[in-house]
Amino acid sequence: MKKEYSIGEICQLYQLGPDSLRYYEKKGLLHPTRKPNGYRVYTLNDIWRLNIIKDLRKLDFSIPQIKSYIENRTLTHSISMLEKEIKIIQSKIKPLELLQKKLHQKLTDLKKLKSFQLLNRIHYQKIDARKIIFVDGFLAQDEAIDLAFRELEKTDDETLSLVGNQDMGVFIDDTSFQAHNYTSYHTAFFFVQDQAKTWHRMIKEGTFACFMYQGPYSQSQEAFEKVVADIHSNKYRIAGKAMEIYRLDIHTTADENEFLTEIQIPVSEI
């Protein structure tokens, strides 16, 4: 077995670049010797160090942690280090499991939407209370809505996702609604799961006039007019803030003809 290896041989053996080896040397993890011509030579002492570095980097250890491990290798220290790392990994697994569960639910919901039976039909539905988190403010343009959703997502990047989260929506601005302008919005929100610990407000349970349409948002004004007219003709009264909920949007499909938007307006009997 060879006792000395060139930098090229080490790079090939460990699939590393020369800059990485020089960096590890600079940080005191490797101690290559120098030939009279100035070329670095790596020995078996560097080999076992590189084995440790490679394995600990897989576990996302920092350079100071690796240095500490190499310089303080005892059975007790190794046991303690591994116990701490297991706890760190467990703390990372839990949010991933939660995200997986949410993505499975979103996938199920999307598949259901492909064969939604009540498309373009106004219906009245009893809906349980729902938790939301929101960002407040007047939203006059589609670009402002997208920005508001990003600002909202940023408040909890670990659990909120524009792709994998539950549905998101906006409330129609009250003043605009009374003026029969149904495309001015106030407050963007995400629905969050019932067991969520972080939430801002509860949409109360009740009966909602619901209408889902497919295609571009340019249909929104006409769709709202249709729903409001149906509410009045069925002798209901509007009992709260109207919502526009984005079931399928640009985050899921680039084809606006596939967009699915649902109008929900809380109502009560006159």
Side-chain angles (χ1 to χ4, degrees):
M1 178 181 289
K2 292 177 61 174
K3 294 185 178 180
E4 294 182 344
Y5 298 83
S6 69
I7 190 169
E9 289 173 321
I10 292 296
C11 286
Q12 184 176 11
L13 182 62
Y14 286 95
Q15 296 295 297
L16 292 171
D19 288 344
S20 295
L21 292 176
R22 295 188 188 102
Y23 177 71
Y24 293 151
E25 180 183 349
K26 181 180 178 181
K27 293 299 182 180
L29 300 180
L30 298 177
H31 304 286
T33 58
R34 297 271 184 166
K35 288 288 190 181
N37 59 8
Y39 288 119
R40 291 174 174 81
V41 174
Y42 296 85
T43 66
L44 295 178
N45 184 57
D46 295 302
I47 294 293
W48 68 257
R49 287 170 175 267
L50 278 165
N51 290 340
I52 290 175
I53 292 169
K54 185 172 175 53
D55 284 348
L56 294 187
R57 290 298 285 166
K58 287 179 182 177
L59 296 174
D60 205 26
F61 272 53
S62 67
I63 295 299
Q65 287 175 312
I66 295 173
K67 192 171 190 296
S68 174
Y69 178 77
I70 289 175
E71 294 176 352
N72 300 282
R73 293 187 325 284
T74 66
L75 179 58
T76 299
H77 182 263
S78 295
I79 290 172
S80 175
M81 182 272 296
L82 290 175
E83 287 176 340
K84 289 178 182 178
E85 188 62 22
I86 287 171
K87 289 181 180 179
I88 291 172
I89 291 172
Q90 287 174 335
S91 70
K92 293 179 179 180
I93 288 174
K94 189 172 182 180
L96 286 173
E97 289 177 337
L98 178 60
L99 177 59
Q100 182 186 45
K101 182 178 179 180
K102 289 166 65 176
L103 289 174
H104 276 303
Q105 183 59 54
K106 186 68 174 181
L107 180 61
T108 300
D109 293 342
L110 290 177
K111 288 180 176 178
K112 286 180 180 177
L113 287 172
K114 288 188 70 175
S115 58
F116 189 69
Q117 300 299 314
L118 294 173
L119 192 64
N120 295 321
R121 287 173 52 192
I122 299 171
H123 63 285
Y124 294 83
Q125 181 179 349
K126 180 72 176 295
I127 301 178
D128 293 335
R130 292 165 287 176
K131 294 178 179 178
I132 61 170
I133 62 172
F134 63 85
V135 57
D136 221 356
F138 185 75
L139 308 168
Q141 298 177 332
D142 289 343
E143 291 83 358
I145 295 173
D146 289 334
L147 181 59
F149 281 131
R150 174 55 202 149
E151 288 293 331
L152 185 54
E153 182 186 38
K154 191 172 65 175
T155 63
D156 190 357
D157 263 331
E158 291 295 319
T159 58
L160 295 178
S161 165
L162 289 167
V163 175
N165 210 70
Q166 290 184 280
D167 292 316
M168 52 197 182
V170 290
F171 290 109
I172 309 303
D173 177 68
D174 287 339
T175 302
S176 299
F177 188 88
Q178 291 168 8
H180 308 293
N181 172 13
Y182 306 118
T183 57
S184 291
Y185 311 109
H186 197 289
T187 307
F189 62 85
F190 277 115
F191 290 111
V192 295
Q193 295 179 340
D194 292 340
Q195 63 270 30
K197 295 181 180 179
T198 302
W199 52 283
H200 298 156
R201 175 179 163 188
M202 184 83 76
I203 297 177
K204 294 180 181 179
E205 68 173 15
T207 301
F208 291 78
C210 304
F211 179 77
M212 188 180 295
Y213 68 86
Q214 186 171 33
Y217 300 132
S218 56
Q219 303 173 73
S220 185
Q221 176 71 24
E222 183 181 350
F224 265 102
E225 290 173 355
K226 185 183 298 186
V227 177
V228 170
D230 194 85
I231 290 171
H232 294 317
S233 66
N234 281 283
K235 298 183 179 179
Y236 283 104
R237 67 178 183 85
I238 295 171
K241 289 183 175 292
M243 293 176 280
E244 188 171 89
I245 301 169
Y246 307 113
R247 302 297 191 189
L248 285 181
D249 67 355
I250 197 169
H251 299 100
T252 308
T253 176
D255 184 356
E256 67 175 11
N257 291 314
E258 291 186 332
F259 289 179
L260 284 177
T261 306
E262 183 173 4
I263 292 167
Q264 289 187 5
I265 303 177
V267 297
S268 61
E269 295 181 358
I270 296 175

